[in-house]
Amino acid sequence: MIMPGRSVASAVLLLALLHGLLLRPPQLPVARAEIDDDDGEEIKEGSSIHFDVTPPVVPDGAEARREHFRALHAKDMFRHVRIASMRNGSGGGRHLLGSSKLPELMSDPNMFVELPMRSALNIAHVGMYLVSVRFGTPALPFNLVLDTANDLTWISCRLRRRKGKHYGRASPAAAGQTMSVGEGGEPVKQEKKKWYRPALSSSWRRIRCSQSLCEKLSYTTCPDALNTVSCSYRQKVQDGTLTIGIYGMEKATVALSDGKMAKLPGLVLGCSLKEAGGSVDAHDGVLGLGNGIISFGVNAASRFGGRFSFCLLSTNSGRDASSYLTFGPNPAVMGPETMETRIVYNTDVTTGMGFHVDAVTVDGKPLDIPPEVFDDRIKDAGVILDTGTSLTGLVPPAYDAVTAALDSYLAHLPRVTDIAGFEFCYNWTFTGNGVDPANNVTVPRFALELEGGAVLEVDAKSVVMPEVVPGVACLAFRKLTQGGPSIIGNVLMQEHIWEFEHKLELMRFRKDKCANHHIKGVSAANVHHIAPTPIPSPRFVN
C-alpha cells in the first residue's frame, strides 16, 4: 500500500467531514432509566447495574481439544468473511451513513450498571463470551453473545403464545426446539433453548414499515414505507449465522447496586424468527455493542454517562467463573497502569471500533511493519476490536513480521504442522507464564504502542496459546488473506478491563484478573491520559 500525500489526505478528510454533516442520519428516541416499581423515586448517584459475562471453556480430551480449535479457526475465518463483506458494502443490510452526533445523555453521569458475563469455549459455543440480560415484562433472562463488532441485538423468538398462558404472566423462560438450519440448508442438531415471546411481554412494541423509525434501522427488508406490515430485517453474518426477523422496541431490566430493579426502555430488539448456522443452538442470541444507532451498547451507555466497560476472564477460567459488563462510570477502570487512547471508528467496517497502532514491539524492539497498515483512512487498513473473534487476525505485512519475531524465540522447539487453523505450533507443554528454563524458552514481551503514548502489553498466554492439543502450543495469530482491517480478538483482549467513552471518543484499559473489577473506590491518579492533541470531528454512529 502507498501512503497518500498530505494534500490528498486532507482532501479525503474534508470530504468525509462534509459527507457526515450533509448525510447525518436521524437519531433514535432515548428514554430515561426507570425504577421498576415506578414510584417516582430517583436513582441514587453512583448506582450500578450488573450483567453477568461468562468466558469460553476449552474441553479436556485430546481429540476434543483438536476439534474445538479447528471449529474456533472456522468460526474466525467465516467471521472475517462477514467483516470483509461489510467492508465491501455487501453485509446483508443497509448500512447507515456517518454521524457526528451522539444520542443525548438522559440520566445521572455518575451512575453505572453492570451485566455479568461468561465465557463458553466448547465445540458448539466456541470462543464466545456470553452476557446474561433480562428482556421483557415480566423480565426473563437470556444468554447473548458479547459482540463489539455488531450493532444488531437479537433473540430467538416465537410470535404466538402457547395455550394456557396468561398474557404478561410471570413464568420461567419458555424452552423449545431450535429452528436453525445449516449453511447448506440441512437441519443441525436441535437442542433446548430459551425463546423470547413478544405476546407474553407487555412492554414489547412492534415496529411497522409505515413508521418513520423503521427507515432509520439497519438491515431492513420492508417492501415499501407505506406498508403496515412488521418492520422486518435480514442480517447475514458469515461466521455461520443468519438471522431473519422483525424489529420492536423493548425494555431490559437491570439490578442496581442499591438493590432496586431498573428498566431501560426504548431499546431496539430483533425478534429472530429464523437462524441459520452451527453455533446458534449454543446461545439465545447476540448482544450488539458495536457502532450504530440500534446498538444496545450505544443506547444503554447513553443513559449512563456515555460509556461502557467489560473485563474478559481468561479462556481457561472454568465454566462457573464470571465477570461483568458495566454501563456508566466504572471506578475499577481507574487503577495502576490504566492507559487511555483515542477510539478510532473504522470507515470500512462501520460497526467496528478500534485504536491507532503506532508500533508493534517484541521484547521491546519495534517490528518493521509499514505504517499504512494501521492507517484507518486507507482501505483494508486500521484495527478493530472484536470480542466475537478469538484469534487476532493481522494483514500479511503485520502477520509476517509478528510471527517471524515470535518464532525466533521458539524455533529450537520441534514444529507441529497438523493443527488446523494454526501455522506456527510447537511440541511444548506451555504452562502459561511464558518462562520454561527446562526447554530454554522465554516467551518475549509483546506490546502494541498506541496513539497518545498508551501501551497494550499482553500476557504470554495471549501470544502463545497453551495446550491447543496436549503437549502442543501455537502462536495466537491468524493471517487475513482477504484484506483488512486487522482484528484484535478476545484471546489477546483477555484479562484486561476495557472501557469505551463514546462522548469523548476515548478508550481506557489496564490489566486485570476480572475477579473484583466492579468494586468501587479505586483511585484515578495513575491513569495514563492521552496527550492533548486536536481531536477530529466525531465519526461515531455510522
Side-chain angles (χ1 to χ4, degrees), residues 10-46:
S10 300
V12 170
L13 180 59
L14 178 60
L15 288 173
L17 292 174
L18 290 173
H19 185 267
L21 290 172
L22 295 174
L23 299 176
R24 180 180 302 159
Q27 302 298 311
L28 295 178
V30 178
R32 187 182 181 89
E34 305 168 346
I35 295 291
D36 193 28
D37 57 14
D38 200 25
D39 58 5
E41 182 179 351
E42 291 294 328
I43 297 176
K44 293 181 180 179
E45 184 174 319

Side-chain angles (χ1 to χ4, degrees), residues 17 175 259 288 325 398 404 487 504:
L17 292 174
L325 165 66
I487 301 168
L504 299 180

Side-chain angles (χ1 to χ4, degrees), residues 522-533:
V522 183
S523 171
N526 296 320
V527 178
H528 172 91
H529 294 284
I530 187 171
T533 55

Side-chain angles (χ1 to χ4, degrees), residues 179-189 240 242 274-280:
M179 302 168 61
S180 60
V181 296
E183 292 180 5
E186 72 283 359
V188 301
K189 180 181 178 180
L242 167 72
K274 180 179 180 181
E275 304 92 46
S279 67
V280 296

Side-chain angles (χ1 to χ4, degrees), residues 414-432:
R415 285 285 296 271
V416 179
T417 59
D418 63 342
I419 307 298
F422 296 89
E423 182 179 1
F424 292 88
C425 293
Y426 310 90
N427 191 354
W428 175 41
T429 301
F430 172 37
T431 59

Side-chain angles (χ1 to χ4, degrees), residues 150-424:
N150 195 347
D151 59 343
L152 174 62
T153 293
W154 61 266
I155 304 177
S156 298
C157 182
R158 281 185 174 175
L159 292 180
R160 296 182 179 179
R161 291 185 287 127
R162 295 191 302 175
K163 291 183 179 180
K165 290 292 181 181
H166 180 71
Y167 182 85
R169 178 182 298 170
S171 62
Q177 296 293 321
T178 62
M179 302 168 61
S180 60
V181 296
E183 292 180 5
E186 72 283 359
V188 301
K189 180 181 178 180
Q190 293 185 330
E191 300 178 11
K192 294 288 183 181
K193 67 186 299 182
K194 298 172 185 174
W195 297 100
Y196 168 73
R197 298 178 183 272
L200 300 182
S201 173
S202 61
S203 52
W204 163 264
R205 298 292 181 268
R206 186 184 304 215
I207 301 171
R208 300 189 180 277
C209 292
S210 55
Q211 295 177 255
S212 59
L213 177 58
C214 182
E215 298 179 5
K216 306 172 187 177
L217 305 180
S218 305
Y219 320 111
T220 55
T221 57
C222 280
D224 59 71
L226 299 178
N227 203 307
T228 59
V229 299
S230 297
C231 182
S232 56
Y233 72 86
R234 179 185 187 276
Q235 187 195 51
K236 179 69 176 294
V237 183
Q238 295 183 1
D239 60 355
T241 303
L242 167 72
T243 171
I244 300 174
I246 61 173
Y247 278 124
M249 305 295 286
E250 185 54 286
K251 295 181 179 181
T253 299
V254 294
L256 296 169
S257 57
D258 61 6
K260 291 184 172 65
M261 302 299 290
K263 288 185 180 294
L264 299 179
L267 299 171
V268 177
L269 180 64
C271 170
S272 180
L273 304 176
K274 180 179 180 181
E275 304 92 46
S279 67
V280 296
D281 293 317
H283 54 78
D284 301 321
V286 169
L287 187 72
L289 299 182
N291 178 36
I293 64 171
I294 66 172
S295 165
F296 183 96
V298 170
N299 287 284
S302 71
R303 299 147 205 207
F304 293 94
R307 64 179 78 177
F308 69 89
S309 59
F310 53 81
C311 203
L312 298 184
L313 285 161
S314 167
T315 55
N316 296 317
S317 297
R319 297 179 185 274
D320 297 326
S322 66
S323 58
Y324 288 88
L325 165 66
T326 302
F327 288 92
N330 184 351
V333 173
M334 304 305 184
E337 300 181 355
T338 297
M339 297 286 175
E340 184 178 87
T341 190
R342 180 174 62 91
I343 298 176
V344 173
Y345 301 101
N346 195 275
T347 54
D348 291 329
V349 182
T350 56
T351 58
M353 54 190 178
F355 42 52
H356 180 76
V357 177
D358 288 336
V360 180
T361 65
V362 172
D363 203 21
K365 303 172 184 176
L367 303 183
D368 185 15
I369 300 175
E372 56 264 30
V373 164
F374 302 120
D375 189 341
D376 65 288
R377 298 170 299 178
I378 300 176
K379 186 175 176 60
D380 291 345
V383 174
I384 64 172
L385 302 176
D386 183 9
T387 54
T389 291
S390 298
L391 301 182
T392 290
L394 301 173
V395 293
Y399 175 86
D400 293 342
V402 167
T403 53
L406 294 174
D407 182 61
S408 68
Y409 289 82
L410 306 172
H412 61 284
L413 297 171
R415 285 285 296 271
V416 179
T417 59
D418 63 342
I419 307 298
F422 296 89
E423 182 179 1
F424 292 88

Side-chain angles (χ1 to χ4, degrees), residues 52-105:
D52 279 327
V53 179
T54 53
V57 177
V58 182
D60 295 327
E63 189 56 34
R65 293 179 78 91
R66 184 183 292 271
E67 289 300 318
H68 165 81
F69 284 105
R70 181 180 294 128
L72 184 147
H73 164 65
K75 179 204 62 146
D76 282 358
M77 180 179 66
F78 282 118
R79 187 173 179 87
H80 180 251
V81 171
R82 169 250 182 172
I83 290 174
S85 71
M86 292 169 60
R87 179 193 68 225
N88 295 325
S90 57
R94 179 175 59 85
H95 291 281
L96 300 175
L97 300 173
S99 170
S100 60
K101 185 175 181 180
L102 281 168
E104 182 181 357
L105 302 181

